Amino acid sequence: MDQVDARVPGAHEMRGHTAAFVARVTARSRLPLDYSVASLRVVDFLIEGLRKGGADRERAHETLFGLGAYVGEVLVRRAGAEWVDLDNRQRSCFAQPVGVRMPDGRVWNPLGRVLNRFETGGPEESLHTFYLTLHGRARRAAAWEDRAAG
């Protein structure tokens, strides 16, 4: 199992870290990273591009971390989640020091989900689908998404 990266920001720093990542990425390109659920399709596309471009995990680490933070921030903004520092058991399981806690108390690992998407690819690892099938979303957020999709 991978070691937890000591350079990863804590839960209280993730919103700022994500905002800085989005500012850097969108300054270089016109990517629609607007924290919408639909923007997770863009994240899937970017990760697939890294895979097809032959990037290895180490070389793509910073970008993958930024994309994982972005996915987590979409969960915070759209599903009612909150960033949390993981306890030792969760760190061991997820191989990450931070995750998100959903309104129902479930803890998810968006940083790890992005790594899985990069390493295994395929539609079953889609981050957009992950959000749409995610358990524990706030009812208000889920109802809003249903209206927006319809």
mmCIF file of all heavy atoms in Angstrom, residues 58-106:
data_model
loop_
_atom_site.group_PDB
_atom_site.id
_atom_site.type_symbol
_atom_site.label_atom_id
_atom_site.label_comp_id
_atom_site.label_asym_id
_atom_site.label_seq_id
_atom_site.Cartn_x
_atom_site.Cartn_y
_atom_site.Cartn_z
ATOM 1 N N GLU A 58 3.847 9.061 -10.887
ATOM 2 C CA GLU A 58 4.763 9.979 -10.213
ATOM 3 C C GLU A 58 4.838 11.317 -10.938
ATOM 4 O O GLU A 58 4.787 12.378 -10.324
ATOM 5 C CB GLU A 58 6.159 9.349 -10.095
ATOM 6 C CG GLU A 58 7.125 10.167 -9.281
ATOM 7 C CD GLU A 58 6.667 10.375 -7.841
ATOM 8 O OE1 GLU A 58 6.050 9.470 -7.254
ATOM 9 O OE2 GLU A 58 6.912 11.480 -7.308
ATOM 10 N N ARG A 59 4.951 11.270 -12.250
ATOM 11 C CA ARG A 59 5.048 12.500 -13.037
ATOM 12 C C ARG A 59 3.739 13.295 -12.988
ATOM 13 O O ARG A 59 3.751 14.515 -13.026
ATOM 14 C CB ARG A 59 5.408 12.154 -14.481
ATOM 15 C CG ARG A 59 6.146 13.249 -15.189
ATOM 16 C CD ARG A 59 6.654 12.822 -16.530
ATOM 17 N NE ARG A 59 5.499 12.611 -17.411
ATOM 18 C CZ ARG A 59 5.490 11.815 -18.455
ATOM 19 N NH1 ARG A 59 6.560 11.134 -18.767
ATOM 20 N NH2 ARG A 59 4.417 11.687 -19.205
ATOM 21 N N ALA A 60 2.619 12.600 -12.894
ATOM 22 C CA ALA A 60 1.307 13.252 -12.895
ATOM 23 C C ALA A 60 0.780 13.519 -11.483
ATOM 24 O O ALA A 60 -0.351 13.984 -11.328
ATOM 25 C CB ALA A 60 0.321 12.381 -13.666
ATOM 26 N N HIS A 61 1.582 13.237 -10.461
ATOM 27 C CA HIS A 61 1.121 13.310 -9.068
ATOM 28 C C HIS A 61 0.442 14.637 -8.724
ATOM 29 O O HIS A 61 -0.656 14.658 -8.172
ATOM 30 C CB HIS A 61 2.282 13.040 -8.109
ATOM 31 C CG HIS A 61 1.916 13.235 -6.678
ATOM 32 N ND1 HIS A 61 1.180 12.308 -5.979
ATOM 33 C CD2 HIS A 61 2.148 14.264 -5.828
ATOM 34 C CE1 HIS A 61 0.974 12.756 -4.755
ATOM 35 N NE2 HIS A 61 1.557 13.938 -4.636
ATOM 36 N N GLU A 62 1.095 15.744 -9.013
ATOM 37 C CA GLU A 62 0.543 17.046 -8.632
ATOM 38 C C GLU A 62 -0.794 17.310 -9.333
ATOM 39 O O GLU A 62 -1.748 17.786 -8.706
ATOM 40 C CB GLU A 62 1.538 18.162 -8.966
ATOM 41 C CG GLU A 62 1.081 19.517 -8.482
ATOM 42 C CD GLU A 62 2.126 20.594 -8.741
ATOM 43 O OE1 GLU A 62 3.325 20.309 -8.747
ATOM 44 O OE2 GLU A 62 1.702 21.748 -8.935
ATOM 45 N N THR A 63 -0.869 16.990 -10.598
ATOM 46 C CA THR A 63 -2.120 17.187 -11.343
ATOM 47 C C THR A 63 -3.209 16.265 -10.813
ATOM 48 O O THR A 63 -4.353 16.691 -10.616
ATOM 49 C CB THR A 63 -1.895 16.941 -12.844
ATOM 50 O OG1 THR A 63 -0.910 17.865 -13.315
ATOM 51 C CG2 THR A 63 -3.185 17.115 -13.631
ATOM 52 N N LEU A 64 -2.873 15.012 -10.560
ATOM 53 C CA LEU A 64 -3.861 14.069 -10.039
ATOM 54 C C LEU A 64 -4.347 14.506 -8.657
ATOM 55 O O LEU A 64 -5.545 14.419 -8.358
ATOM 56 C CB LEU A 64 -3.292 12.653 -9.992
ATOM 57 C CG LEU A 64 -3.025 12.025 -11.360
ATOM 58 C CD1 LEU A 64 -2.250 10.720 -11.192
ATOM 59 C CD2 LEU A 64 -4.313 11.811 -12.132
ATOM 60 N N PHE A 65 -3.444 14.989 -7.822
ATOM 61 C CA PHE A 65 -3.859 15.474 -6.518
ATOM 62 C C PHE A 65 -4.809 16.661 -6.677
ATOM 63 O O PHE A 65 -5.838 16.750 -6.008
ATOM 64 C CB PHE A 65 -2.667 15.858 -5.642
ATOM 65 C CG PHE A 65 -3.105 16.349 -4.297
ATOM 66 C CD1 PHE A 65 -3.420 15.447 -3.297
ATOM 67 C CD2 PHE A 65 -3.246 17.707 -4.045
ATOM 68 C CE1 PHE A 65 -3.871 15.896 -2.057
ATOM 69 C CE2 PHE A 65 -3.690 18.154 -2.813
ATOM 70 C CZ PHE A 65 -4.006 17.243 -1.821
ATOM 71 N N GLY A 66 -4.464 17.591 -7.553
ATOM 72 C CA GLY A 66 -5.320 18.748 -7.787
ATOM 73 C C GLY A 66 -6.690 18.346 -8.298
ATOM 74 O O GLY A 66 -7.712 18.895 -7.864
ATOM 75 N N LEU A 67 -6.741 17.371 -9.186
ATOM 76 C CA LEU A 67 -8.029 16.893 -9.697
ATOM 77 C C LEU A 67 -8.820 16.186 -8.600
ATOM 78 O O LEU A 67 -10.041 16.337 -8.515
ATOM 79 C CB LEU A 67 -7.823 15.981 -10.907
ATOM 80 C CG LEU A 67 -7.299 16.685 -12.162
ATOM 81 C CD1 LEU A 67 -6.918 15.653 -13.223
ATOM 82 C CD2 LEU A 67 -8.303 17.695 -12.700
ATOM 83 N N GLY A 68 -8.144 15.439 -7.740
ATOM 84 C CA GLY A 68 -8.820 14.794 -6.616
ATOM 85 C C GLY A 68 -9.380 15.815 -5.646
ATOM 86 O O GLY A 68 -10.497 15.666 -5.136
ATOM 87 N N ALA A 69 -8.601 16.872 -5.400
ATOM 88 C CA ALA A 69 -9.084 17.950 -4.534
ATOM 89 C C ALA A 69 -10.291 18.628 -5.165
ATOM 90 O O ALA A 69 -11.265 18.968 -4.478
ATOM 91 C CB ALA A 69 -7.960 18.960 -4.286
ATOM 92 N N TYR A 70 -10.255 18.796 -6.482
ATOM 93 C CA TYR A 70 -11.387 19.401 -7.188
ATOM 94 C C TYR A 70 -12.641 18.533 -7.041
ATOM 95 O O TYR A 70 -13.720 19.041 -6.733
ATOM 96 C CB TYR A 70 -11.037 19.605 -8.664
ATOM 97 C CG TYR A 70 -12.182 20.179 -9.448
ATOM 98 C CD1 TYR A 70 -12.461 21.539 -9.396
ATOM 99 C CD2 TYR A 70 -13.005 19.362 -10.208
ATOM 100 C CE1 TYR A 70 -13.528 22.070 -10.089
ATOM 101 C CE2 TYR A 70 -14.076 19.883 -10.901
ATOM 102 C CZ TYR A 70 -14.334 21.246 -10.843
ATOM 103 O OH TYR A 70 -15.412 21.766 -11.528
ATOM 104 N N VAL A 71 -12.497 17.225 -7.232
ATOM 105 C CA VAL A 71 -13.642 16.318 -7.066
ATOM 106 C C VAL A 71 -14.187 16.432 -5.644
ATOM 107 O O VAL A 71 -15.403 16.513 -5.431
ATOM 108 C CB VAL A 71 -13.253 14.861 -7.403
ATOM 109 C CG1 VAL A 71 -14.364 13.892 -7.022
ATOM 110 C CG2 VAL A 71 -12.912 14.732 -8.886
ATOM 111 N N GLY A 72 -13.305 16.464 -4.669
ATOM 112 C CA GLY A 72 -13.742 16.628 -3.282
ATOM 113 C C GLY A 72 -14.478 17.933 -3.061
ATOM 114 O O GLY A 72 -15.496 17.982 -2.370
ATOM 115 N N GLU A 73 -13.989 18.990 -3.679
ATOM 116 C CA GLU A 73 -14.640 20.286 -3.516
ATOM 117 C C GLU A 73 -16.002 20.319 -4.203
ATOM 118 O O GLU A 73 -16.925 20.981 -3.720
ATOM 119 C CB GLU A 73 -13.735 21.411 -4.035
ATOM 120 C CG GLU A 73 -14.194 22.794 -3.671
ATOM 121 C CD GLU A 73 -14.296 23.090 -2.186
ATOM 122 O OE1 GLU A 73 -13.635 22.430 -1.356
ATOM 123 O OE2 GLU A 73 -15.061 24.016 -1.839
ATOM 124 N N VAL A 74 -16.171 19.593 -5.300
ATOM 125 C CA VAL A 74 -17.499 19.465 -5.907
ATOM 126 C C VAL A 74 -18.435 18.777 -4.914
ATOM 127 O O VAL A 74 -19.593 19.187 -4.748
ATOM 128 C CB VAL A 74 -17.444 18.710 -7.249
ATOM 129 C CG1 VAL A 74 -18.852 18.376 -7.761
ATOM 130 C CG2 VAL A 74 -16.685 19.524 -8.298
ATOM 131 N N LEU A 75 -17.947 17.750 -4.229
ATOM 132 C CA LEU A 75 -18.764 17.078 -3.210
ATOM 133 C C LEU A 75 -19.126 18.040 -2.080
ATOM 134 O O LEU A 75 -20.252 18.018 -1.571
ATOM 135 C CB LEU A 75 -18.040 15.856 -2.654
ATOM 136 C CG LEU A 75 -17.779 14.722 -3.636
ATOM 137 C CD1 LEU A 75 -16.949 13.631 -2.972
ATOM 138 C CD2 LEU A 75 -19.057 14.168 -4.185
ATOM 139 N N VAL A 76 -18.201 18.895 -1.688
ATOM 140 C CA VAL A 76 -18.462 19.869 -0.634
ATOM 141 C C VAL A 76 -19.541 20.855 -1.089
ATOM 142 O O VAL A 76 -20.518 21.099 -0.380
ATOM 143 C CB VAL A 76 -17.161 20.607 -0.230
ATOM 144 C CG1 VAL A 76 -17.450 21.830 0.623
ATOM 145 C CG2 VAL A 76 -16.210 19.649 0.484
ATOM 146 N N ARG A 77 -19.366 21.386 -2.287
ATOM 147 C CA ARG A 77 -20.276 22.430 -2.759
ATOM 148 C C ARG A 77 -21.625 21.910 -3.235
ATOM 149 O O ARG A 77 -22.625 22.617 -3.123
ATOM 150 C CB ARG A 77 -19.614 23.212 -3.892
ATOM 151 C CG ARG A 77 -18.414 23.998 -3.433
ATOM 152 C CD ARG A 77 -17.806 24.762 -4.568
ATOM 153 N NE ARG A 77 -16.601 25.445 -4.139
ATOM 154 C CZ ARG A 77 -16.146 26.540 -4.725
ATOM 155 N NH1 ARG A 77 -16.794 27.087 -5.738
ATOM 156 N NH2 ARG A 77 -15.041 27.100 -4.287
ATOM 157 N N ARG A 78 -21.659 20.716 -3.790
ATOM 158 C CA ARG A 78 -22.896 20.229 -4.417
ATOM 159 C C ARG A 78 -23.619 19.146 -3.631
ATOM 160 O O ARG A 78 -24.804 18.941 -3.842
ATOM 161 C CB ARG A 78 -22.611 19.702 -5.817
ATOM 162 C CG ARG A 78 -22.014 20.712 -6.746
ATOM 163 C CD ARG A 78 -23.003 21.771 -7.094
ATOM 164 N NE ARG A 78 -22.372 22.735 -7.987
ATOM 165 C CZ ARG A 78 -22.771 23.973 -8.113
ATOM 166 N NH1 ARG A 78 -23.795 24.410 -7.426
ATOM 167 N NH2 ARG A 78 -22.158 24.791 -8.921
ATOM 168 N N ALA A 79 -22.899 18.448 -2.762
ATOM 169 C CA ALA A 79 -23.515 17.314 -2.069
ATOM 170 C C ALA A 79 -23.580 17.501 -0.559
ATOM 171 O O ALA A 79 -24.009 16.605 0.145
ATOM 172 C CB ALA A 79 -22.763 16.023 -2.402
ATOM 173 N N GLY A 80 -23.122 18.647 -0.069
ATOM 174 C CA GLY A 80 -23.197 18.907 1.357
ATOM 175 C C GLY A 80 -22.099 18.256 2.176
ATOM 176 O O GLY A 80 -22.216 18.156 3.395
ATOM 177 N N ALA A 81 -21.016 17.835 1.544
ATOM 178 C CA ALA A 81 -19.903 17.192 2.253
ATOM 179 C C ALA A 81 -19.051 18.250 2.961
ATOM 180 O O ALA A 81 -19.221 19.452 2.739
ATOM 181 C CB ALA A 81 -19.031 16.397 1.275
ATOM 182 N N GLU A 82 -18.122 17.773 3.782
ATOM 183 C CA GLU A 82 -17.132 18.651 4.403
ATOM 184 C C GLU A 82 -15.785 17.933 4.375
ATOM 185 O O GLU A 82 -15.715 16.710 4.466
ATOM 186 C CB GLU A 82 -17.519 19.009 5.838
ATOM 187 C CG GLU A 82 -17.512 17.827 6.782
ATOM 188 C CD GLU A 82 -17.846 18.205 8.216
ATOM 189 O OE1 GLU A 82 -17.397 19.259 8.686
ATOM 190 O OE2 GLU A 82 -18.562 17.429 8.857
ATOM 191 N N TRP A 83 -14.722 18.714 4.191
ATOM 192 C CA TRP A 83 -13.384 18.149 4.242
ATOM 193 C C TRP A 83 -13.081 17.721 5.672
ATOM 194 O O TRP A 83 -13.410 18.442 6.617
ATOM 195 C CB TRP A 83 -12.340 19.170 3.802
ATOM 196 C CG TRP A 83 -12.318 19.405 2.327
ATOM 197 C CD1 TRP A 83 -12.798 20.495 1.667
ATOM 198 C CD2 TRP A 83 -11.782 18.533 1.325
ATOM 199 N NE1 TRP A 83 -12.592 20.349 0.314
ATOM 200 C CE2 TRP A 83 -11.968 19.159 0.076
ATOM 201 C CE3 TRP A 83 -11.169 17.282 1.364
ATOM 202 C CZ2 TRP A 83 -11.556 18.579 -1.121
ATOM 203 C CZ3 TRP A 83 -10.751 16.702 0.179
ATOM 204 C CH2 TRP A 83 -10.947 17.339 -1.042
ATOM 205 N N VAL A 84 -12.445 16.560 5.827
ATOM 206 C CA VAL A 84 -12.060 16.071 7.142
ATOM 207 C C VAL A 84 -10.658 15.476 7.084
ATOM 208 O O VAL A 84 -10.247 14.916 6.067
ATOM 209 C CB VAL A 84 -13.042 15.008 7.695
ATOM 210 C CG1 VAL A 84 -14.410 15.617 7.963
ATOM 211 C CG2 VAL A 84 -13.158 13.814 6.765
ATOM 212 N N ASP A 85 -9.931 15.633 8.204
ATOM 213 C CA ASP A 85 -8.674 14.921 8.369
ATOM 214 C C ASP A 85 -9.043 13.495 8.774
ATOM 215 O O ASP A 85 -9.857 13.289 9.672
ATOM 216 C CB ASP A 85 -7.820 15.581 9.454
ATOM 217 C CG ASP A 85 -7.337 16.953 9.028
ATOM 218 O OD1 ASP A 85 -6.782 17.066 7.919
ATOM 219 O OD2 ASP A 85 -7.511 17.914 9.804
ATOM 220 N N LEU A 86 -8.476 12.529 8.104
ATOM 221 C CA LEU A 86 -8.812 11.138 8.377
ATOM 222 C C LEU A 86 -8.065 10.632 9.601
ATOM 223 O O LEU A 86 -6.927 11.036 9.855
ATOM 224 C CB LEU A 86 -8.482 10.275 7.156
ATOM 225 C CG LEU A 86 -9.223 10.663 5.864
ATOM 226 C CD1 LEU A 86 -8.742 9.798 4.700
ATOM 227 C CD2 LEU A 86 -10.729 10.556 6.026
ATOM 228 N N ASP A 87 -8.707 9.725 10.337
ATOM 229 C CA ASP A 87 -8.039 9.118 11.481
ATOM 230 C C ASP A 87 -7.066 8.042 10.986
ATOM 231 O O ASP A 87 -7.009 7.743 9.790
ATOM 232 C CB ASP A 87 -9.054 8.575 12.495
ATOM 233 C CG ASP A 87 -9.926 7.450 11.961
ATOM 234 O OD1 ASP A 87 -9.474 6.664 11.085
ATOM 235 O OD2 ASP A 87 -11.081 7.332 12.421
ATOM 236 N N ASN A 88 -6.297 7.470 11.879
ATOM 237 C CA ASN A 88 -5.262 6.503 11.482
ATOM 238 C C ASN A 88 -5.823 5.303 10.731
ATOM 239 O O ASN A 88 -5.232 4.840 9.748
ATOM 240 C CB ASN A 88 -4.469 6.044 12.708
ATOM 241 C CG ASN A 88 -3.559 7.129 13.225
ATOM 242 O OD1 ASN A 88 -3.190 8.051 12.504
ATOM 243 N ND2 ASN A 88 -3.202 7.042 14.497
ATOM 244 N N ARG A 89 -6.955 4.799 11.168
ATOM 245 C CA ARG A 89 -7.572 3.652 10.488
ATOM 246 C C ARG A 89 -7.988 4.027 9.069
ATOM 247 O O ARG A 89 -7.733 3.285 8.118
ATOM 248 C CB ARG A 89 -8.776 3.150 11.289
ATOM 249 C CG ARG A 89 -9.425 1.896 10.720
ATOM 250 C CD ARG A 89 -10.662 1.491 11.507
ATOM 251 N NE ARG A 89 -11.668 2.539 11.607
ATOM 252 C CZ ARG A 89 -12.524 2.877 10.636
ATOM 253 N NH1 ARG A 89 -12.484 2.254 9.494
ATOM 254 N NH2 ARG A 89 -13.407 3.824 10.824
ATOM 255 N N GLN A 90 -8.613 5.184 8.923
ATOM 256 C CA GLN A 90 -9.042 5.647 7.601
ATOM 257 C C GLN A 90 -7.838 5.938 6.707
ATOM 258 O O GLN A 90 -7.853 5.614 5.515
ATOM 259 C CB GLN A 90 -9.914 6.900 7.744
ATOM 260 C CG GLN A 90 -11.240 6.634 8.410
ATOM 261 C CD GLN A 90 -11.917 7.913 8.861
ATOM 262 O OE1 GLN A 90 -11.271 8.886 9.242
ATOM 263 N NE2 GLN A 90 -13.248 7.898 8.831
ATOM 264 N N ARG A 91 -6.790 6.516 7.270
ATOM 265 C CA ARG A 91 -5.571 6.776 6.491
ATOM 266 C C ARG A 91 -4.975 5.475 5.969
ATOM 267 O O ARG A 91 -4.525 5.397 4.842
ATOM 268 C CB ARG A 91 -4.527 7.499 7.345
ATOM 269 C CG ARG A 91 -4.822 8.934 7.578
ATOM 270 C CD ARG A 91 -3.777 9.544 8.510
ATOM 271 N NE ARG A 91 -4.096 10.917 8.775
ATOM 272 C CZ ARG A 91 -3.248 11.925 8.595
ATOM 273 N NH1 ARG A 91 -2.026 11.688 8.173
ATOM 274 N NH2 ARG A 91 -3.618 13.148 8.861
ATOM 275 N N SER A 92 -4.986 4.476 6.813
ATOM 276 C CA SER A 92 -4.461 3.179 6.407
ATOM 277 C C SER A 92 -5.300 2.581 5.278
ATOM 278 O O SER A 92 -4.772 2.038 4.315
ATOM 279 C CB SER A 92 -4.438 2.241 7.611
ATOM 280 O OG SER A 92 -4.010 0.971 7.236
ATOM 281 N N CYS A 93 -6.597 2.702 5.398
ATOM 282 C CA CYS A 93 -7.512 2.153 4.391
ATOM 283 C C CYS A 93 -7.442 2.920 3.075
ATOM 284 O O CYS A 93 -7.358 2.330 2.002
ATOM 285 C CB CYS A 93 -8.936 2.184 4.946
ATOM 286 S SG CYS A 93 -10.194 1.598 3.802
ATOM 287 N N PHE A 94 -7.483 4.249 3.155
ATOM 288 C CA PHE A 94 -7.565 5.083 1.955
ATOM 289 C C PHE A 94 -6.208 5.511 1.398
ATOM 290 O O PHE A 94 -6.130 6.018 0.281
ATOM 291 C CB PHE A 94 -8.366 6.356 2.246
ATOM 292 C CG PHE A 94 -9.826 6.126 2.507
ATOM 293 C CD1 PHE A 94 -10.490 6.914 3.438
ATOM 294 C CD2 PHE A 94 -10.560 5.174 1.829
ATOM 295 C CE1 PHE A 94 -11.851 6.757 3.677
ATOM 296 C CE2 PHE A 94 -11.909 4.998 2.065
ATOM 297 C CZ PHE A 94 -12.553 5.787 2.988
ATOM 298 N N ALA A 95 -5.151 5.383 2.189
ATOM 299 C CA ALA A 95 -3.807 5.841 1.803
ATOM 300 C C ALA A 95 -3.799 7.338 1.482
ATOM 301 O O ALA A 95 -3.066 7.790 0.617
ATOM 302 C CB ALA A 95 -3.260 5.025 0.634
ATOM 303 N N GLN A 96 -4.644 8.084 2.193
ATOM 304 C CA GLN A 96 -4.724 9.535 2.059
ATOM 305 C C GLN A 96 -4.945 10.128 3.447
ATOM 306 O O GLN A 96 -5.605 9.498 4.277
ATOM 307 C CB GLN A 96 -5.896 9.944 1.149
ATOM 308 C CG GLN A 96 -5.848 9.407 -0.249
ATOM 309 C CD GLN A 96 -4.702 9.973 -1.069
ATOM 310 O OE1 GLN A 96 -4.197 11.068 -0.796
ATOM 311 N NE2 GLN A 96 -4.263 9.228 -2.059
ATOM 312 N N PRO A 97 -4.455 11.334 3.700
ATOM 313 C CA PRO A 97 -4.678 11.945 5.008
ATOM 314 C C PRO A 97 -5.977 12.732 5.126
ATOM 315 O O PRO A 97 -6.405 13.060 6.223
ATOM 316 C CB PRO A 97 -3.471 12.867 5.175
ATOM 317 C CG PRO A 97 -3.135 13.246 3.770
ATOM 318 C CD PRO A 97 -3.457 12.041 2.924
ATOM 319 N N VAL A 98 -6.615 13.069 4.001
ATOM 320 C CA VAL A 98 -7.860 13.838 4.026
ATOM 321 C C VAL A 98 -8.905 13.154 3.156
ATOM 322 O O VAL A 98 -8.585 12.412 2.223
ATOM 323 C CB VAL A 98 -7.671 15.298 3.556
ATOM 324 C CG1 VAL A 98 -6.765 16.069 4.491
ATOM 325 C CG2 VAL A 98 -7.168 15.356 2.131
ATOM 326 N N GLY A 99 -10.156 13.421 3.479
ATOM 327 C CA GLY A 99 -11.281 12.927 2.700
ATOM 328 C C GLY A 99 -12.449 13.861 2.912
ATOM 329 O O GLY A 99 -12.277 14.974 3.420
ATOM 330 N N VAL A 100 -13.633 13.410 2.519
ATOM 331 C CA VAL A 100 -14.836 14.211 2.745
ATOM 332 C C VAL A 100 -15.852 13.374 3.504
ATOM 333 O O VAL A 100 -15.965 12.169 3.293
ATOM 334 C CB VAL A 100 -15.455 14.753 1.434
ATOM 335 C CG1 VAL A 100 -14.524 15.743 0.750
ATOM 336 C CG2 VAL A 100 -15.832 13.643 0.486
ATOM 337 N N ARG A 101 -16.558 14.045 4.414
ATOM 338 C CA ARG A 101 -17.630 13.392 5.164
ATOM 339 C C ARG A 101 -18.950 13.913 4.616
ATOM 340 O O ARG A 101 -19.173 15.116 4.536
ATOM 341 C CB ARG A 101 -17.540 13.686 6.654
ATOM 342 C CG ARG A 101 -18.696 13.000 7.426
ATOM 343 C CD ARG A 101 -18.590 13.163 8.940
ATOM 344 N NE ARG A 101 -17.406 12.442 9.408
ATOM 345 C CZ ARG A 101 -16.384 13.007 10.060
ATOM 346 N NH1 ARG A 101 -16.397 14.291 10.320
ATOM 347 N NH2 ARG A 101 -15.358 12.297 10.454
ATOM 348 N N MET A 102 -19.821 12.976 4.258
ATOM 349 C CA MET A 102 -21.121 13.320 3.717
ATOM 350 C C MET A 102 -22.081 13.652 4.854
ATOM 351 O O MET A 102 -21.818 13.318 6.009
ATOM 352 C CB MET A 102 -21.653 12.154 2.886
ATOM 353 C CG MET A 102 -20.725 11.757 1.737
ATOM 354 S SD MET A 102 -20.334 13.102 0.620
ATOM 355 C CE MET A 102 -21.905 13.267 -0.204
ATOM 356 N N PRO A 103 -23.218 14.283 4.543
ATOM 357 C CA PRO A 103 -24.190 14.626 5.585
ATOM 358 C C PRO A 103 -24.670 13.430 6.404
ATOM 359 O O PRO A 103 -25.013 13.587 7.575
ATOM 360 C CB PRO A 103 -25.342 15.252 4.794
ATOM 361 C CG PRO A 103 -24.695 15.817 3.577
ATOM 362 C CD PRO A 103 -23.599 14.839 3.245
ATOM 363 N N ASP A 104 -24.665 12.231 5.828
ATOM 364 C CA ASP A 104 -25.103 11.048 6.581
ATOM 365 C C ASP A 104 -23.969 10.417 7.393
ATOM 366 O O ASP A 104 -24.157 9.381 8.015
ATOM 367 C CB ASP A 104 -25.740 10.012 5.655
ATOM 368 C CG ASP A 104 -24.737 9.301 4.748
ATOM 369 O OD1 ASP A 104 -23.549 9.708 4.692
ATOM 370 O OD2 ASP A 104 -25.142 8.335 4.077
ATOM 371 N N GLY A 105 -22.774 11.020 7.370
ATOM 372 C CA GLY A 105 -21.649 10.539 8.157
ATOM 373 C C GLY A 105 -20.676 9.659 7.400
ATOM 374 O O GLY A 105 -19.592 9.363 7.904
ATOM 375 N N ARG A 106 -21.025 9.230 6.209
ATOM 376 C CA ARG A 106 -20.099 8.393 5.427
ATOM 377 C C ARG A 106 -18.895 9.218 4.995
ATOM 378 O O ARG A 106 -19.013 10.395 4.673
ATOM 379 C CB ARG A 106 -20.785 7.839 4.184
ATOM 380 C CG ARG A 106 -21.910 6.902 4.488
ATOM 381 C CD ARG A 106 -22.564 6.450 3.209
ATOM 382 N NE ARG A 106 -23.917 6.005 3.477
ATOM 383 C CZ ARG A 106 -24.481 4.986 2.874
ATOM 384 N NH1 ARG A 106 -23.832 4.310 1.971
ATOM 385 N NH2 ARG A 106 -25.717 4.653 3.165
#
